[in-house]
Amino acid sequence: MIDTGRPEKTLSVSHTPSSSSRRRVLKQLATGGVLGVAGRSGAGHDRPDTDRQHGEARFESGDERRQVRSVDEARDAVVRISTERTGGEYGDDPIPVDGSGFLIDASGIVVTNGHVVTGVDSLELFVGRAQASPAATVLGVSECADLAVLGITGEGYTPLTWYTDEPEPELDVWALGFPDGESYTTTDGSISRTTETANRWIAVDSEIEHTARLRGGHSGGPLVTVDGRTVGVNYAVSNPFTPVDETEQFAISATVTSTVVEEIRAGTATASIGIHGTAVPADDRSPAGVHVLAVESNGPASNATIQPGDVLTAIGNTHVGTGGTVREYCNVLDVHDSADELPIQVYRDGILLTGTLDGRPLEPVLGHPASAHARTDDPYPEYTTLTDETGTIWTDVPSEWADRRYRRTGLGPCLIAAPDVERFRKTIEAPGLLVLRSSDLEYGTDGVLGDRRYRDCPVTKLGPYDDGLYRGDSRSSTGCGDTRTATFFTVAEPRDQSFALVIYVQLATERDRAALERILAGLHHRTDGQPPLLPAEARVVSRVRDTQSPAP
C-alpha cells in the first residue's frame, strides 16, 4: 500500500492444506495475491448470477428477526465459507480457500469480502453451528469495496444489525470468524482510527484500523461492538507474523458496507468488470497496473479474454495503478456502466494487448515483426520510470538507457533515453527512445512519419495504431542498412484529441524489441495536477514486486 509510514496489508483469507506438499504450496500462495472474483459454485449449489439480477430479492427483514444483544449471541449469525479454486496462480489442482461472512437479514442475506467468494470453482456456506450447507447465490460484488452480497436458501436466520454511530477511537470491538477454516474464534481489541483510503486493494470513504487480532480466514467476518452490532467487515492485516502490538488490522466500515448492500439491492451498485485484482507498481517484469488474480466467468472481462496473471494497464482511456493504488481504476468504474464498451490495455507475458470490454477481444497492439521478438532469453533486468520536466509524459525504459535528455521544444516537452543519446541521434546502430508531446504539430501524421526516415530502412508496415489509450498511425522498418536494426515510429492521440504524441524507437537487438512492448505499455500522460517527478528524481523501479505475507 502506498500510505507513507504504514506497512503493506495482507488479505486475511485462510488456505486449508490437505498434505505437507500442499501446505508448502499454500504458504507460498496464501492470502491476498491469490484471490478471485465472482465465479462458479460447486456441485449441488445454484450457479452465481453473473448478471447481478437478483439484487431485488429477499432483502426485507422478516418478523421472525431475533435481535442480537451480545458478542456471544452474534455467534449464530456468523458464516463459515469454504471454497476451492483452480487456474491462474492456483495451478490446475483445486486449492481450498476459506473465509468468513455474516447474516444481515433473517431471509438469508450474507455479507462477506469479494475476494473470499468470487472466482471460485466451488462454494459452501455453513451458518452458525449448522453442519449442513444451504444453496448459495452471489447477488452482487463491489470490486472497489471488496464486498460481496450472497443469498442462501432457508429462512428464520439470526442476523446482525449495523452500528449506526460514528465509531470513535478506543471503542471496544471483537473480530468474529473462522481463522483456520474450521474453528470459530473471537478476538478483542479497540478501534484505532477511521480514515478514507485508497490502497492496492480497495478505494472507500471509510476504513477502520483496529487492534482485534486477525488471522487467515477472518476475511469477510464481522467486527462487532459489545452488544453485537456490526462496526465493519474485516478484510486485511498488515503482517500476520509480527507481534500483535506491531500489527495493524483493517475493516471496511459499516457505513460503506450498508450503502453497498442497498445499492446492490436497488441495482445501482458501481460497475464491476468481473475481476479480482490488486494494484502493482512498475518493476522489471511489468508496468504499473492492476494485476488480475481471477476472472469471473461470462463477465465483461472474461468476454474480452482477460486472464488471471494479466496486468490491466489502462481502462476507459485512463492509465491505472500509477500510484500503487486502485484509485484510478475505481474512478473509471464509478462513471461507467458494466455494459459500456470501454477500451482496455493489457500487458501479458511481455506482450501489449488491447481490446474493449463487451466488444473487441484482446489482440496484440504491435502487428509488425517487432512483436514476434518480444520474448528473449536476455531481457533487460531492470526498468526505470521516467517523465519529462513538465510531469505530463510518463513511460518505462531499460535502466541501461541511462543517457537521458529532458527538454522543452517549440512543439512541446520532449524526452529522450538511450545508452548513448548522441549515437542514437546520429546513427541507426544504437537503441533509444524519443517521445514528444505536442498540441501544435506543424503538419499532419504523414508528414511527421516521413520526416524521420532513414534512406536504408525499408518500410515493413505502415498502418493504424491503437493501444487502448492512443490512436493514430505507425510505421515500422526492419533490416536497416547492413545492420539488424529495426525502427518503430508512431504519431497518436488520446481519445479526446487534445494533443499528439510522437514516438520513435530504434531497436538494435532482440532485447530492444522486447523492451518496445514494455515502453508502449508504460507510456501514458497525466493532467490531474500531480506534481511532476523531476528528471533528477526519476526512480529506478524495484526488481521485485512488493510481496505479500502468507497467512498463518
Side-chain angles (χ1 to χ4, degrees):
M1 192 177 81
I2 308 300
D3 280 352
T4 303
R6 299 177 65 182
E8 178 61 52
K9 299 176 185 177
T10 297
L11 298 182
S12 53
V13 75
S14 174
H15 301 261
T16 306
S18 59
S19 67
S20 59
S21 175
R22 173 165 290 179
R23 192 173 295 111
R24 289 194 299 270
V25 172
L26 294 179
K27 283 195 173 184
Q28 296 173 2
L29 296 179
T31 72
V34 290
L35 304 173
V37 129
R40 302 183 302 277
S41 64
H45 297 285
D46 295 337
R47 182 183 180 83
D49 178 18
T50 57
D51 295 327
R52 314 292 190 223
Q53 296 299 314
H54 297 289
E56 299 177 0
R58 301 188 306 174
F59 276 84
E60 294 79 9
S61 302
D63 293 336
E64 66 271 44
R65 174 188 287 247
R66 182 168 69 84
Q67 181 72 46
V68 170
R69 294 183 174 84
S70 69
V71 174
D72 288 341
E73 290 182 2
R75 168 71 174 88
D76 291 334
V78 181
V79 175
R80 176 168 66 89
I81 301 174
S82 178
T83 74
E84 285 191 340
R85 309 170 192 228
T86 57
E89 296 186 352
Y90 293 97
D92 296 329
D93 295 329
I95 298 294
V97 182
D98 300 314
S100 302
F102 58 99
L103 285 150
I104 62 166
D105 193 280
S107 63
I109 302 300
V110 174
V111 171
T112 185
N113 288 144
H115 73 259
V116 171
V117 299
T118 55
V120 301
D121 297 310
S122 65
L123 172 64
E124 291 185 308
L125 276 69
F126 301 89
V127 179
R129 297 171 175 81
Q131 300 299 311
S133 174
T137 301
V138 177
L139 304 179
V141 173
S142 172
E143 292 179 16
C144 292
D146 192 21
L147 291 169
V149 180
L150 286 71
I152 58 175
T153 55
E155 57 185 11
Y157 293 109
T158 300
L160 297 181
T161 58
W162 302 114
Y163 183 84
T164 56
D165 298 329
E166 183 68 23
E168 298 291 338
E170 300 186 8
L171 175 70
D172 290 334
V173 289
W174 283 257
L176 315 181
F178 298 85
D180 62 1
E182 293 290 341
S183 303
Y184 176 79
T185 65
T186 65
T187 58
D188 64 300
S190 62
I191 289 178
S192 302
R193 61 175 177 171
T194 301
T195 59
E196 179 181 356
T197 189
N199 56 46
R200 59 187 305 212
W201 303 108
I202 66 172
V204 297
D205 293 335
S206 181
E207 176 195 64
I208 296 172
E209 181 183 334
H210 62 88
T211 61
R213 182 70 164 175
L214 299 181
R215 293 186 287 133
H218 267 125
S219 274
L223 184 71
V224 302
T225 57
V226 66
D227 58 358
R229 290 184 292 165
T230 303
V231 176
V233 182
N234 292 310
Y235 85 100
V237 60
S238 61
N239 189 336
F241 297 116
T242 57
V244 64
D245 58 349
E246 299 176 13
T247 303
E248 297 172 340
Q249 281 73 212
F250 300 91
I252 303 150
S253 75
T255 302
V256 170
T257 305
S258 60
T259 300
V260 168
V261 169
E262 291 307 314
E263 288 175 346
I264 291 175
R265 174 184 182 182
T268 60
T270 297
S272 168
I273 72 168
I275 66 169
H276 171 62
T278 174
V280 293
D283 62 16
D284 65 298
R285 294 173 293 174
S286 75
V290 175
H291 182 212
V292 179
L293 303 173
V295 179
E296 174 186 357
S297 298
N298 301 317
S302 174
N303 293 339
T305 64
I306 292 177
Q307 302 174 6
D310 288 347
V311 177
L312 179 67
T313 50
I315 179 174
N317 310 316
T318 301
H319 202 277
V320 297
T322 53
T325 79
V326 294
R327 186 182 297 280
E328 299 106 332
Y329 173 74
C330 294
N331 287 343
V332 172
L333 295 189
D334 281 342
V335 298
H336 287 281
D337 186 85
S338 58
D340 291 347
E341 290 191 7
L342 298 178
I344 53 175
Q345 185 187 92
V346 167
Y347 190 73
R348 177 188 296 164
D349 295 332
I351 302 294
L352 183 63
L353 308 169
T354 187
T356 58
L357 292 175
D358 278 352
R360 177 167 53 93
L362 292 173
E363 57 186 17
V365 169
L366 299 179
H368 59 77
S371 64
H373 301 284
R375 291 186 178 86
T376 175
D377 293 333
D378 184 30
Y380 284 103
E382 190 173 89
Y383 279 81
T384 299
T385 299
L386 301 182
T387 183
D388 70 289
E389 63 178 12
T390 68
T392 57
I393 303 172
W394 297 71
T395 192
D396 303 335
V397 301
S399 298
E400 294 177 26
W401 295 10
D403 192 1
R404 297 154 191 162
R405 309 290 170 85
Y406 312 87
R407 62 182 61 180
R408 293 176 184 262
T409 71
L411 294 177
C414 179
L415 171 70
I416 304 174
D420 185 328
V421 168
E422 289 306 312
R423 286 193 68 221
F424 165 64
R425 295 176 63 181
K426 295 179 179 179
T427 76
I428 196 65
E429 300 173 356
L433 163 72
L434 179 150
V435 182
L436 169 70
R437 180 186 186 275
S438 178
S439 300
D440 189 28
L441 287 179
E442 295 178 354
Y443 37 82
T445 299
D446 292 341
V448 176
L449 289 175
D451 189 48
R452 187 179 181 100
R453 177 176 174 183
Y454 283 95
R455 180 177 54 191
D456 296 330
C457 286
V459 175
T460 302
K461 183 177 180 181
L462 180 64
Y465 177 83
D466 186 347
D467 65 9
L469 270 180
Y470 306 106
R471 293 185 294 194
D473 294 294
S474 66
R475 190 195 72 215
S476 57
S477 304
T478 57
C480 297
D482 296 329
T483 72
R484 299 181 59 200
T485 299
T487 65
F488 174 77
F489 199 0
T490 186
V491 181
E493 300 172 316
R495 264 47 178 186
D496 63 7
Q497 299 182 323
S498 56
F499 62 88
L501 284 178
V502 179
I503 306 160
Y504 176 74
V505 190
Q506 285 181 187
L507 315 165
T509 65
E510 297 301 309
R511 67 198 322 224
D512 299 329
R513 291 166 169 80
L516 174 61
E517 303 268 358
R518 172 61 184 273
I519 290 169
L520 296 176
L523 184 67
H524 63 283
H525 65 281
R526 300 189 189 180
T527 57
D528 55 4
Q530 297 182 45
L533 178 69
L534 298 177
E537 298 171 330
R539 63 185 177 89
V540 176
V541 178
S542 170
R543 293 188 180 192
V544 181
R545 179 173 295 148
D546 51 335
T547 58
Q548 302 157 32
S549 303

